[in-house]
Amino acid sequence: MPKLIVICGATATGKSGLALELAMRLDSAIISADSRQVYREFDIGTAKPSKTEQALVPHYLIDICEPRETMTVADYQDAARVLIEGKASTHLLVGGTGLYIKAITRGMKIPRVAPNYELRSHLESIRESVGQIQLYGMLEQVDPEAAAKIHPHDIVRTLRALEVYYITGVPISQQQGENPPDYPILQLGLDCDRAYLTQRIAQRTEKMVKDGFVEEVDYLCRKFGEDLPLLNTLGYQEIRQYLAGEVDLEKAKELTALHTRQFAKRQQTWFRANPQIEWFDVENGNLFEQVWQRIEPFIQNV
């Protein structure tokens, strides 16, 4: 039976560095749980492990999609399950995409319905015509159970629930649920003082620019076009504004750091709601050994 160790937490808390050390000691691979690192050529802005780091330890679920493709949570879940359940050893699941991690650790049942952009466009036009509340009312009629769990102003989840219903004819509420895996799971989270995290985010933003982030965004804009959805994500959008002459580079870095802090706060809220996560302070100088002391009995327990 496999065993799974999860290393999670907000962006810039040092998950990748810790995981690399652990993987080398465990002689294990790293399975990425990052919703942007799955895409090829989006490297610096996603803090993707370097080629050197990837040569030290096998990394999976990185660079598996073209930027114009869509990697759904269901796709990710299927791919991760094959890796974890295919070998009776200890696996490291590392990242900050909470939904990816939850899909694995809780065994979320996810409707296998790919985005239908024609249908979404139609639903969007209805929303623009009659308003979000009326669109939400449509959901209440076809799937009251799902509607009860979705805020009336939550456009994304309302559209998704309607999309699933109109494609499959089955309410999304009847296609959801959980089926937790039967293998052991240890969930470890990294956290730190907000001021320290702010400092780390600022330092990482500076390093990204020095490592060629501006050049990466410029190349991606020219290759894929500025309307590529991934170029509207954290970091890429701000540098794209700089390249368009809307802000100077210092302002772009300032906005990147600000939006990264806001994103990190949302990640912290998500992960702290999970009582199964055991927390470790990244400011602790003995972090690796503290984490290892918790992992050792887990992997030795048969």
Side-chain angles (χ1 to χ4, degrees):
M1 180 179 292
K3 291 185 177 182
L4 182 64
I5 299 170
V6 176
I7 306 294
C8 63
T11 187
T13 50
K15 299 181 295 295
S16 297
L18 175 64
L20 193 64
E21 288 188 78
L22 291 171
M24 288 190 288
R25 181 173 288 192
L26 289 165
D27 191 23
S28 172
I30 292 174
I31 301 172
S32 172
D34 187 296
S35 61
R36 295 193 303 172
Q37 290 184 2
V38 299
Y39 294 101
R40 300 184 184 101
E41 300 191 77
F42 280 71
D43 302 328
I44 298 172
T46 64
K48 194 175 291 178
S50 67
K51 298 301 181 185
T52 301
E53 290 169 329
Q54 293 186 48
L56 288 172
V57 169
H59 286 69
Y60 294 103
L61 303 191
I62 288 177
D63 293 335
I64 60 173
C65 279
E66 293 298 329
R68 289 194 179 97
E69 296 175 340
T70 299
M71 182 78 170
T72 67
V73 178
D75 292 334
Y76 175 84
Q77 185 185 55
D78 288 342
R81 278 176 168 170
V82 169
L83 292 168
I84 296 167
E85 298 171 10
K87 187 177 180 182
S89 62
T90 301
H91 304 270
L92 284 170
L93 183 67
V94 183
T97 301
L99 194 55
Y100 276 13
I101 293 172
K102 184 178 179 180
I104 301 304
T105 59
R106 300 275 287 273
M108 291 172 59
K109 296 178 182 178
I110 305 166
R112 263 51 179 177
V113 178
N116 184 310
Y117 296 105
E118 184 177 352
L119 175 57
R120 286 188 179 185
S121 178
H122 176 65
L123 291 171
E124 279 281 10
S125 66
I126 293 175
R127 187 181 66 83
E128 291 173 1
S129 175
V130 302
Q132 166 63 17
I133 296 302
Q134 283 71 20
L135 190 72
Y136 179 79
M138 291 170 57
L139 178 60
E140 288 182 306
Q141 292 177 14
V142 299
D143 192 352
E145 185 177 341
K149 298 177 182 178
I150 297 174
H151 192 281
H153 297 294
D154 190 331
I155 298 171
V156 174
R157 294 180 67 199
T158 300
L159 287 172
R160 176 58 176 169
L162 286 170
E163 178 183 47
V164 170
Y165 175 77
Y166 286 122
I167 290 175
T168 67
V170 180
I172 193 173
S173 59
Q174 294 181 23
Q175 302 185 52
Q176 294 175 324
E178 295 180 355
N179 183 24
D182 55 6
Y183 51 77
I185 300 174
L186 176 65
Q187 299 189 61
L188 308 178
L190 300 186
D191 204 357
C192 61
D193 176 80
R194 184 168 297 178
Y196 184 62
L197 184 59
T198 295
Q199 178 185 342
R200 288 177 65 99
I201 288 171
Q203 292 172 344
R204 191 169 82 165
T205 302
E206 288 288 346
K207 184 177 185 303
M208 285 162 55
V209 172
K210 288 179 182 178
D211 288 346
F213 188 30
V214 173
E215 292 75 13
E216 175 174 287
V217 177
D218 182 50
Y219 163 76
L220 292 169
C221 285
R222 286 185 283 107
K223 182 172 182 178
F224 297 105
E226 295 184 10
D227 60 343
L228 184 74
L230 281 170
L231 287 169
N232 288 321
T233 62
L234 182 61
Y236 290 92
Q237 182 177 27
E238 292 80 3
I239 296 300
R240 193 164 55 81
Q241 287 180 275
Y242 161 66
L243 291 171
E246 297 172 12
V247 296
D248 60 27
L249 184 56
E250 286 304 312
K251 184 63 176 178
K253 291 191 291 185
E254 178 185 326
L255 289 171
T256 298
L258 170 63
H259 296 154
T260 303
R261 291 196 302 271
Q262 293 170 340
F263 175 61
K265 186 176 180 181
R266 293 194 295 272
Q267 287 177 301
Q268 288 172 327
T269 300
W270 173 285
F271 287 121
R272 285 171 181 166
N274 183 352
Q276 295 180 324
I277 296 176
E278 301 177 33
W279 292 99
F280 291 83
D281 188 349
V282 301
E283 295 183 73
N284 190 314
N286 202 29
L287 175 63
F288 177 82
E289 289 304 325
Q290 278 200 346
V291 171
W292 181 254
Q293 287 174 16
R294 179 63 188 90
I295 287 176
E296 198 168 24
F298 173 76
I299 59 176
Q300 289 177 351
N301 184 30
V302 178

